[in-house]
Amino acid sequence: MNNIFRLGKNKLVSQGAHKTCTALAAMLILVAGLVAPVATFADTIAMIGTGSVGSALGPRFASLGHQIIYGSRSPETEEVIALVKATGNDASATTPAAAAREADIIVLAVPWAVAEEVAIGLGDLSGKIIIDPINPRVFDDEGWADYPSYTSNAERIQILAPQAKVVKAFSTISVDTMIDPTLVDHPLTIPLVGNDADAKKVVAEICEALGFETMDFGPVRYAHVLEGLYLLRGNARLYDNYFEWNYPASKRAR
């Protein structure tokens, strides 16, 4: 029995056959390594804000292998601690400025009314990619959404941080589809605008790894067009209508 190896409880194989199987398995592993999809990036991402957008994108980015640092005014609250735990992959939480210092990529997931103030408080953002999913909007007495300014949020952030690489992304879809793109029965496209082509490629790679399609719509001066799309989408809800990138009302969780 010295030349017999047991596989499971009842299967026997000779030592020679075992060596052959081992060599074959090693070859298959090598081939699998050559053809299997491999993550080509793993960045530290500062998720500035722990509201609906930050809570949606943080865990999804972490699922790709990115390390998430949440930037919060109150990083020690039970809600933030629970979010960090749910995010996994060595996620953590600290102040917004501290998170931004450690990150390669920053997601500015805060309300538009405080976006500029928060961006200024992050310190030197030179060379960093800033993903802007924010949609500035105000509502009139009848519930119609409109612009609070003639300058897009992305342009304002780019002006405040001229050496940063601002990319408008994730601004045209709902939080629910950020979490689960399969809620619709067709591919979702994330439009991108920004002045730095390489930064847009990095953001596109993240979007596509999450299951979205992407399309480059040019420099940051066109961000107001994307923000306008969200306004139209919001106004359509007044008639209980939904654009095709959204999913049917019957599937809405909110």
Side-chain angles (χ1 to χ4, degrees), residues 153-192:
N153 188 76
E155 289 175 285
R156 288 175 175 270
I157 301 304
Q158 187 67 82
I159 291 170
L160 290 172
Q163 301 305 315
K165 305 168 185 178
V166 177
V167 179
K168 191 79 181 180
F170 297 102
S171 63
T172 57
I173 61 173
S174 69
V175 167
D176 300 280
T177 46
M178 289 179 190
I179 297 171
D180 184 7
T182 65
L183 286 171
V184 295
D185 57 1
H186 54 79
L188 286 169
T189 299
I190 302 292
L192 306 175

Coordinates of all heavy atoms in Angstrom, one line a residue, residues 153-192:
N153 N -21.2 71.5 -11.3 CA -20.5 71.2 -10.1 C -19.0 70.7 -10.5 O -18.1 71.1 -9.8 CB -21.2 70.1 -9.3 CG -20.5 69.9 -8.0 OD1 -20.7 70.6 -7.1 ND2 -19.8 68.8 -7.9
A154 N -18.9 69.9 -11.5 CA -17.6 69.4 -11.9 C -16.7 70.5 -12.3 O -15.5 70.5 -12.0 CB -17.7 68.4 -13.1
E155 N -17.2 71.5 -13.0 CA -16.3 72.7 -13.4 C -15.9 73.4 -12.2 O -14.8 73.9 -12.1 CB -17.1 73.6 -14.4 CG -17.3 73.0 -15.8 CD -18.1 73.8 -16.6 OE1 -19.4 73.9 -16.4 OE2 -17.5 74.5 -17.5
R156 N -16.8 73.6 -11.2 CA -16.5 74.3 -10.0 C -15.3 73.6 -9.2 O -14.4 74.3 -8.7 CB -17.7 74.5 -9.1 CG -18.7 75.5 -9.7 CD -20.0 75.5 -8.8 NE -20.9 76.5 -9.3 CZ -21.0 77.8 -8.8 NH1 -20.1 78.2 -7.9 NH2 -21.8 78.6 -9.3
I157 N -15.4 72.3 -9.2 CA -14.4 71.5 -8.4 C -13.1 71.6 -9.2 O -12.0 71.8 -8.6 CB -14.8 70.1 -8.3 CG1 -16.2 70.0 -7.5 CG2 -13.7 69.3 -7.6 CD1 -16.1 70.7 -6.1
Q158 N -13.1 71.6 -10.5 CA -11.9 71.7 -11.3 C -11.3 73.1 -11.1 O -10.0 73.2 -11.1 CB -12.2 71.4 -12.8 CG -11.0 71.4 -13.7 CD -10.1 70.2 -13.4 OE1 -10.4 69.1 -13.8 NE2 -9.1 70.3 -12.6
I159 N -12.1 74.1 -11.0 CA -11.5 75.4 -10.8 C -10.9 75.5 -9.4 O -9.8 76.1 -9.2 CB -12.6 76.5 -10.9 CG1 -13.1 76.6 -12.4 CG2 -12.2 77.9 -10.4 CD1 -14.3 77.4 -12.6
L160 N -11.5 74.9 -8.4 CA -11.0 74.9 -7.1 C -9.7 74.1 -6.9 O -8.8 74.4 -6.1 CB -12.0 74.4 -6.1 CG -13.2 75.3 -5.8 CD1 -14.3 74.6 -5.0 CD2 -12.8 76.6 -5.1
A161 N -9.6 73.0 -7.7 CA -8.4 72.2 -7.7 C -7.9 72.0 -9.1 O -8.0 71.0 -9.8 CB -8.8 70.8 -7.1
P162 N -7.2 73.0 -9.6 CA -6.8 73.1 -11.0 C -5.8 72.0 -11.4 O -5.7 71.6 -12.6 CB -6.2 74.5 -11.2 CG -5.8 74.9 -9.8 CD -6.8 74.3 -8.9
Q163 N -5.0 71.5 -10.4 CA -4.1 70.4 -10.8 C -4.6 69.0 -10.5 O -3.9 68.0 -10.8 CB -2.8 70.6 -9.9 CG -2.1 71.9 -10.1 CD -1.8 72.2 -11.5 OE1 -1.3 71.3 -12.2 NE2 -2.1 73.4 -12.0
A164 N -5.9 68.9 -10.1 CA -6.5 67.6 -10.0 C -7.1 67.2 -11.3 O -7.2 68.0 -12.3 CB -7.6 67.7 -8.9
K165 N -7.6 66.0 -11.4 CA -8.2 65.4 -12.6 C -9.6 65.1 -12.4 O -9.9 64.0 -11.9 CB -7.4 64.2 -13.1 CG -5.9 64.5 -13.3 CD -5.1 63.3 -13.4 CE -3.6 63.6 -13.5 NZ -2.8 62.3 -13.6
V166 N -10.5 66.0 -12.6 CA -11.9 65.8 -12.3 C -12.6 65.0 -13.4 O -12.4 65.4 -14.6 CB -12.6 67.2 -12.1 CG1 -14.1 66.9 -11.8 CG2 -12.0 67.9 -10.9
V167 N -13.3 64.0 -13.0 CA -14.1 63.2 -14.0 C -15.5 63.1 -13.5 O -15.8 62.6 -12.4 CB -13.5 61.8 -14.2 CG1 -14.4 61.0 -15.2 CG2 -12.1 61.8 -14.6
K168 N -16.5 63.6 -14.3 CA -17.9 63.4 -14.0 C -18.3 62.0 -14.3 O -18.2 61.6 -15.5 CB -18.7 64.5 -14.8 CG -20.2 64.6 -14.4 CD -20.2 65.4 -13.1 CE -21.7 65.6 -12.6 NZ -21.7 66.4 -11.4
A169 N -18.9 61.3 -13.4 CA -19.3 59.9 -13.6 C -20.3 59.6 -12.6 O -20.4 60.1 -11.5 CB -18.1 59.0 -13.5
F170 N -21.2 58.6 -12.9 CA -22.2 58.0 -12.0 C -23.3 59.0 -11.7 O -24.1 58.8 -10.8 CB -21.6 57.5 -10.7 CG -20.6 56.4 -10.8 CD1 -19.3 56.6 -10.7 CD2 -21.1 55.1 -11.0 CE1 -18.4 55.6 -10.9 CE2 -20.2 54.1 -11.2 CZ -18.8 54.3 -11.1
S171 N -23.4 60.1 -12.4 CA -24.3 61.2 -12.1 C -25.7 61.0 -12.8 O -26.6 61.7 -12.5 CB -23.8 62.5 -12.5 OG -23.6 62.6 -13.9
T172 N -25.8 60.0 -13.7 CA -27.0 59.9 -14.5 C -27.8 58.7 -14.1 O -28.8 58.4 -14.8 CB -26.7 59.8 -16.0 OG1 -25.8 58.7 -16.2 CG2 -26.0 61.0 -16.5
I173 N -27.4 57.9 -13.1 CA -28.1 56.7 -12.7 C -28.5 56.9 -11.2 O -28.0 57.7 -10.5 CB -27.3 55.5 -12.9 CG1 -26.0 55.5 -12.1 CG2 -27.0 55.3 -14.4 CD1 -25.2 54.2 -12.1
S174 N -29.5 56.0 -10.9 CA -29.9 56.0 -9.5 C -29.0 55.2 -8.6 O -28.1 54.5 -9.0 CB -31.3 55.4 -9.4 OG -31.2 54.0 -9.7
V175 N -29.2 55.5 -7.3 CA -28.4 54.7 -6.3 C -28.6 53.2 -6.4 O -27.7 52.4 -6.3 CB -28.7 55.2 -4.9 CG1 -28.2 54.3 -3.8 CG2 -28.2 56.6 -4.6
D176 N -29.9 52.9 -6.7 CA -30.2 51.4 -6.8 C -29.4 50.8 -7.9 O -29.0 49.6 -7.8 CB -31.7 51.3 -7.0 CG -32.5 51.9 -5.9 OD1 -32.6 51.2 -4.8 OD2 -33.0 53.0 -6.0
T177 N -29.3 51.4 -9.1 CA -28.6 50.8 -10.2 C -27.1 50.9 -10.0 O -26.3 50.2 -10.6 CB -29.0 51.4 -11.5 OG1 -29.0 52.9 -11.4 CG2 -30.4 50.9 -11.9
M178 N -26.6 51.9 -9.1 CA -25.2 51.8 -8.8 C -24.9 50.5 -8.0 O -23.9 49.9 -8.3 CB -24.9 53.0 -7.8 CG -24.9 54.4 -8.4 SD -24.5 55.6 -7.2 CE -24.9 57.1 -8.1
I179 N -25.8 50.1 -7.2 CA -25.6 48.9 -6.4 C -25.8 47.7 -7.3 O -25.0 46.7 -7.2 CB -26.6 48.9 -5.2 CG1 -26.4 50.0 -4.3 CG2 -26.6 47.5 -4.5 CD1 -27.4 50.2 -3.2
D180 N -26.8 47.7 -8.2 CA -27.1 46.5 -9.0 C -27.5 46.9 -10.4 O -28.7 47.1 -10.6 CB -28.2 45.7 -8.3 CG -28.5 44.4 -9.0 OD1 -27.8 44.0 -10.0 OD2 -29.5 43.7 -8.6
P181 N -26.5 46.9 -11.3 CA -26.9 47.3 -12.7 C -27.8 46.3 -13.4 O -28.4 46.6 -14.4 CB -25.5 47.3 -13.4 CG -24.5 47.3 -12.3 CD -25.1 46.7 -11.1
T182 N -28.0 45.1 -12.8 CA -28.8 44.1 -13.5 C -30.3 44.3 -13.2 O -31.1 43.5 -13.6 CB -28.4 42.7 -13.0 OG1 -28.7 42.5 -11.6 CG2 -27.0 42.4 -13.3
L183 N -30.6 45.4 -12.5 CA -32.0 45.7 -12.3 C -32.7 46.1 -13.6 O -33.9 46.1 -13.7 CB -32.2 46.9 -11.3 CG -31.9 46.6 -9.8 CD1 -31.9 47.8 -9.0 CD2 -33.0 45.6 -9.3
V184 N -31.9 46.5 -14.6 CA -32.5 46.7 -15.9 C -32.1 45.5 -16.8 O -31.1 44.8 -16.5 CB -31.9 48.0 -16.5 CG1 -32.4 49.2 -15.7 CG2 -30.4 48.0 -16.6
D185 N -32.8 45.4 -17.9 CA -32.6 44.2 -18.8 C -31.8 44.6 -20.0 O -31.8 44.0 -21.0 CB -33.9 43.6 -19.2 CG -34.8 44.6 -19.9 OD1 -34.4 45.8 -20.1 OD2 -35.9 44.3 -20.3
H186 N -31.0 45.7 -19.8 CA -30.1 46.1 -20.9 C -28.9 46.8 -20.3 O -28.9 47.2 -19.1 CB -30.8 47.1 -21.8 CG -31.4 48.3 -21.1 ND1 -30.6 49.4 -20.7 CD2 -32.6 48.5 -20.7 CE1 -31.4 50.2 -20.0 NE2 -32.6 49.7 -20.0
P187 N -27.7 46.9 -21.0 CA -26.6 47.5 -20.4 C -26.8 49.0 -20.1 O -27.5 49.7 -20.8 CB -25.5 47.4 -21.5 CG -26.0 46.3 -22.4 CD -27.5 46.4 -22.4
L188 N -26.3 49.4 -18.9 CA -26.3 50.8 -18.5 C -25.0 51.5 -18.9 O -23.9 51.0 -18.7 CB -26.5 50.9 -17.0 CG -27.8 50.5 -16.4 CD1 -27.8 50.4 -14.9 CD2 -28.9 51.6 -16.8
T189 N -25.2 52.7 -19.5 CA -24.0 53.4 -20.0 C -23.7 54.6 -19.0 O -24.7 55.3 -18.6 CB -24.2 54.0 -21.4 OG1 -24.4 53.0 -22.3 CG2 -23.0 54.9 -21.8
I190 N -22.5 54.7 -18.5 CA -22.1 55.8 -17.7 C -21.4 56.8 -18.6 O -20.3 56.5 -19.1 CB -21.1 55.3 -16.6 CG1 -21.7 54.2 -15.7 CG2 -20.6 56.5 -15.7 CD1 -22.9 54.7 -14.9
P191 N -22.0 58.0 -18.8 CA -21.3 59.0 -19.6 C -20.2 59.6 -18.7 O -20.3 59.8 -17.5 CB -22.4 60.0 -19.9 CG -23.7 59.4 -19.5 CD -23.3 58.4 -18.4
L192 N -19.0 59.9 -19.4 CA -17.9 60.5 -18.7 C -17.5 61.8 -19.4 O -17.5 61.9 -20.6 CB -16.7 59.5 -18.7 CG -16.9 58.1 -18.2 CD1 -15.6 57.3 -18.5 CD2 -17.2 58.1 -16.8

